[in-house]
Amino acid sequence: MNASDAPLSRLSLNQETIKQWSLPELAEGCVKAGIGRVGLWRAPVQAYGVERTARLLSDAGLTVTSLCRGGFLTALDPGDRAAALDDNRRAIDEAAALSTDTLVLVSGGLPPGSRDLYGARERVADALAELAPYAARRGVRLAIEPLHPMFASDRCVVSTLAQALDLAERFPAEQVGVVVDTYHVWWDDRAPAQIARAGAGGRIHSFQLADWITPLPAGVLLGRGQLGDGSVDFRALRAEVEAAGFDGPIEVEIFNETLWARDGAEVLAEVAQRFVQHAC
């Protein structure tokens, strides 16, 4: 199946879905499969070289739909906060160098010993006030990704689209928006209204797909499932996102050791088939 076919025309492959591939393998595999868009992660890009990655993907005719991730902005220590801001400026620069307009932000969890969720979210807002203008000058939008509440303590104090929008709406829509990730929002009966709210404000900057499968693995982080293997109604969520005005790329982003142990080309073919079967 080729990406020029209408059902696949909006599919973007997030590189973590096929983590076993190097960046050259990712470029070659996507070109062979007719997939024209990719989402990238900072660590492998830095290891390969940011400028080198940009040239590789440009030469392959691939568009970078997002870079993940910035964020982790909840520290209390002034030195740690300054270091986090510096790292996020570097992430913005990397996104600009890769010609993507979207940097995904994961806010960060509670600092050690803290139980103050409100204060942590306010420190995220303070950081956004410094980072958003810088990102705008570089042509990059900041996309706040709410994570499922099970990650609130250690990874992300922003757990719902409502909380993400409460932060984003303090800034211009062209500077700060949100990520709608099915894995993180499928359970929330308020999500449809918040998707509509985000769309009305022009704040849906990224739409990502992964399924929710149980039992969750130890550590839970690698529990994202292949489309169709779990509980998420992808067609319903896609319909809500598109009714809200989003017509951009749709990233499949799956962290799953079983997929990583398989042949990458086989996984990509399955991703494309499942995307059409469950999300179109």
Side-chain angles (χ1 to χ4, degrees):
M1 194 174 293
N2 192 282
S4 62
D5 298 333
L8 289 181
S9 62
R10 300 200 19 222
L11 173 63
S12 174
L13 177 70
N14 188 285
Q15 75 177 120
E16 284 293 285
T17 303
I18 310 181
K19 188 176 182 176
Q20 62 270 41
W21 269 353
S22 66
L23 274 160
E25 289 171 331
L26 176 74
E28 180 182 4
C30 286
V31 169
K32 285 183 177 178
I35 304 298
R37 310 183 196 211
V38 294
L40 299 180
W41 278 68
R42 292 182 69 198
V45 167
Q46 290 169 346
Y48 191 74
V50 177
E51 299 296 339
R52 190 180 176 203
T53 300
R55 288 194 301 271
L56 171 73
L57 299 182
S58 178
D59 290 347
L62 296 172
T63 298
V64 181
T65 55
S66 72
L67 178 65
C68 197
R69 56 178 160 60
F72 286 79
L73 300 166
T74 57
L76 287 164
D77 178 79
D80 291 342
R81 289 184 58 73
L85 289 169
D86 286 344
D87 183 62
N88 276 269
R89 292 186 190 98
R90 286 191 294 272
I92 290 164
D93 293 341
E94 291 163 9
L98 294 165
S99 299
T100 180
D101 65 357
T102 302
L103 175 66
V104 174
L105 298 184
V106 174
S107 69
L110 287 171
S114 174
R115 295 178 176 83
D116 183 6
L117 284 167
Y118 176 81
R121 293 185 192 122
E122 286 302 302
R123 289 192 295 280
V124 174
D126 292 343
L128 289 171
E130 296 197 39
L131 295 172
Y134 182 83
R137 291 193 295 271
R138 304 290 279 128
V140 175
R141 308 176 302 180
L142 305 179
I144 303 168
E145 181 171 12
L147 268 56
H148 189 281
M150 67 181 173
F151 295 111
S153 64
D154 62 342
R155 289 183 180 275
C156 191
V157 295
V158 178
S159 300
T160 66
L161 280 170
Q163 291 168 358
L165 286 165
D166 287 346
L167 289 169
E169 287 170 352
R170 304 186 192 192
F171 308 94
E174 64 272 17
Q175 292 184 11
V176 185
V178 299
V179 180
V180 178
D181 185 323
T182 61
Y183 181 77
H184 295 301
V185 307
W186 72 275
W187 59 275
D188 187 354
D189 60 2
R190 298 165 296 176
Q194 298 306 315
I195 289 170
R197 171 186 169 190
R203 294 185 186 272
I204 302 177
H205 290 349
S206 181
F207 181 38
Q208 297 181 332
L209 309 184
D211 216 338
W212 179 277
I213 52 175
T214 47
L216 296 173
V220 305
L221 185 62
L222 306 185
R224 298 166 72 101
Q226 177 63 279
L227 310 189
D229 284 351
S231 305
V232 177
D233 187 341
F234 295 104
R235 285 198 184 93
L237 282 163
R238 177 173 176 173
E240 290 163 4
V241 167
E242 291 181 346
F246 180 81
D247 60 359
I250 303 172
E251 283 189 23
V252 174
E253 183 192 58
I254 303 171
F255 315 147
N256 188 295
E257 289 181 322
T258 300
L259 294 185
W260 295 341
R262 292 170 52 191
D263 174 75
E266 177 185 282
V267 173
L268 180 52
E270 183 177 274
V271 165
Q273 184 268 327
R274 296 290 190 93
F275 181 82
V276 173
Q277 182 180 357
H278 297 285
C280 292

